[in-house]
Amino acid sequence: MVIKAEPISAAAFRPFGALASHVAGEPLHVVGAAFAHLPDATIPALEWVRPPAMVTLPIVVDRLERHPFSAQTFLPQGNSPFLVVVCGSAADGGPDAASARAFLVPDTVGATFAAGVWHRSLAPLVPDTAFIMAMMRTGRDDDTEFRDLPAPLHIG
């Protein structure tokens, strides 16, 4: 399946989560969905992430992840635009590749994946990037589920 990456918008991303934009001159922006969670997740996690490599389009995505008990938020730090690949769940609970979307996220926008949303791991579009990641954890080693896709997604 071939998917064209598109500029992200709140309306297009709404089925998968929420966006946060820190407008220049705005002293504070509350990211209300950052720690949304189900009752099993009670341990807050706040991490500063420096991905080891950037991605270059086109890319092939053959594995997705989800966090069944918590939302997961990524807030870019500095010049850190990134790619988001998301999809809903199929009847068997796995990724529904037919619903997959790819979004280009500027460095002024953060993204919160809702609990249970399938997504590709963090994919910065420039080298030497950093992100703040927030989520809730259960403390049981069941916070992240990975699934291989039956057929890869080609993102361009």
Side-chain angles (χ1 to χ4, degrees):
M1 172 182 261
V2 177
I3 299 171
K4 181 169 176 36
E6 60 189 279
I8 201 160
S9 71
F13 191 68
R14 190 166 292 118
F16 309 104
L19 300 181
S21 298
H22 196 212
V23 179
E26 182 182 48
L28 175 69
H29 181 85
V30 176
V31 184
F35 290 103
H37 63 282
L38 300 177
D40 280 10
T42 59
I43 304 166
L46 183 65
E47 300 171 1
W48 197 349
V49 181
R50 290 191 177 276
M54 63 178 264
V55 299
T56 303
L57 295 175
I59 65 167
V60 175
V61 176
D62 57 5
R63 186 176 197 199
L64 296 175
E65 67 180 76
R66 73 174 173 178
H67 309 286
F69 303 105
S70 174
Q72 184 182 43
T73 298
F74 286 98
L75 301 173
Q77 304 296 290
N79 180 30
S80 300
F82 58 112
L83 173 72
V84 165
V85 178
V86 289
C87 71
S89 294
D92 68 356
D96 175 21
S99 69
R101 304 272 305 266
F103 298 105
L104 300 169
V105 186
D107 60 9
T108 57
V109 175
T112 297
F113 303 110
V117 169
W118 290 101
H119 61 278
R120 186 198 185 280
S121 60
L122 187 57
L125 294 168
V126 297
D128 301 321
T129 61
F131 297 83
I132 300 299
M133 188 283 295
M135 68 182 288
M136 297 292 285
R137 299 190 191 280
T138 65
R140 297 187 307 244
D141 196 32
D142 60 354
D143 296 304
T144 305
E145 178 183 354
F146 295 95
R147 292 270 184 104
D148 292 330
L149 295 171
L153 301 172
H154 297 267
I155 312 296

